[in-house]
Amino acid sequence: MRYTVSTKLRTSALTRIRFAPVALLAGIFAAVLLSLSLTGTLSGFAASITNSNNTAATGTLVMQEQNAGATVTCLSTDGGSVSTNSATCSTINKFGGSTTMTPGNTVNTAISIKNTGTANAATFTLTPGATCTQSANGTQNGTATDLCAKMNLVITSGSTTVFSGTLASFKGAAASAFTMPQAPAAGATVPFNFAVTLDPSAGNTYQGLAASVPMTWTFTA
């Protein structure tokens, strides 16, 4: 007996076999698209850091001068504000202010310079004025014209001698500033002593006279 299979049946079976993998792939692709539509993206590992506090600010450099008893205070901001940061202090006399000195007599004046700002000082200098000025003291005045050469000055800071010489050699100081032994950090204080002595050889012609030299303290940072 002979059995025959129609051409139509064979074609239908082959079509089903070929269509099955295609249909399977289409189903997987549709599932992936559905997943993406629900989550928005493929998930995975992630890590991040947000720096929320990124700032930079300036410090302040403010100088304070006080006498030994801390009864008189001068600040570099007394001239107006920290924007100027430069002031004139006429209330603390580094030469003692005595008007009754005699030959061989020494007057000591202790002061302190403090950094009251928030920034450390990198340098600290003392610059004498360009001239030593002689003037009359009272109504009885001698005829000498070189009192500045007869007034001796010794400036010390602790065990360090900053200057030793006459007021005539102190003024101008070769047009340069004296570097102090210590540039104070924020909040630190540096002590100084000024010893002024009238030369023992000074005679009557030096009576009733006064000598003065201005000076400037400077911090830089």
Side-chain angles (χ1 to χ4, degrees):
M1 179 181 293
R2 171 185 272 178
Y3 296 94
T4 59
V5 180
S6 68
T7 302
K8 183 176 181 181
L9 290 176
R10 286 199 303 270
T11 303
S12 178
L14 289 174
T15 302
R16 286 197 299 271
I17 293 172
R18 292 172 181 170
F19 177 75
V22 175
L24 179 60
L25 290 174
I28 294 173
F29 183 68
V32 170
L33 289 178
L34 178 61
S35 174
L36 289 176
S37 67
L38 292 175
T39 62
T41 183
L42 290 173
S43 61
F45 295 140
S48 68
I49 295 175
T50 299
N51 298 129
S52 61
N53 188 19
N54 305 299
T55 61
T58 60
T60 57
L61 191 65
V62 179
M63 181 185 295
Q64 172 187 283
E65 180 182 0
Q66 282 188 326
N67 62 351
T71 57
V72 180
T73 299
C74 294
L75 294 170
S76 59
T77 54
D78 288 344
S81 69
V82 73
S83 294
T84 304
N85 217 16
S86 179
T88 297
C89 179
S90 59
T91 52
I92 300 178
N93 191 328
K94 260 67 73 183
F95 296 162
S98 174
T99 58
T100 59
M101 292 183 71
T102 56
N105 181 214
T106 299
V107 176
N108 287 284
T109 303
I111 66 147
S112 64
I113 301 293
K114 182 178 182 180
N115 179 0
T116 60
T118 60
N120 297 338
T123 66
F124 179 22
T125 58
L126 172 61
T127 305
T131 60
C132 177
T133 303
Q134 178 179 310
S135 59
N137 172 32
T139 57
Q140 301 293 325
N141 315 117
T143 57
T145 58
D146 62 342
L147 179 63
C148 291
K150 289 294 184 178
M151 285 286 189
N152 297 300
L153 171 66
V154 178
I155 305 174
T156 56
S157 178
S159 60
T160 301
T161 299
V162 176
F163 174 83
S164 180
T166 65
L167 293 187
S169 61
F170 177 65
K171 58 93 177 172
S176 64
F178 297 103
T179 299
M180 297 299 100
Q182 175 184 354
T189 300
V190 183
F192 292 94
N193 186 77
F194 289 75
V196 179
T197 304
L198 177 59
D199 194 296
S201 66
N204 285 337
T205 58
Y206 290 93
Q207 294 190 63
L209 301 175
S212 174
V213 180
M215 63 188 76
T216 302
W217 304 92
T218 304
F219 287 160
T220 65

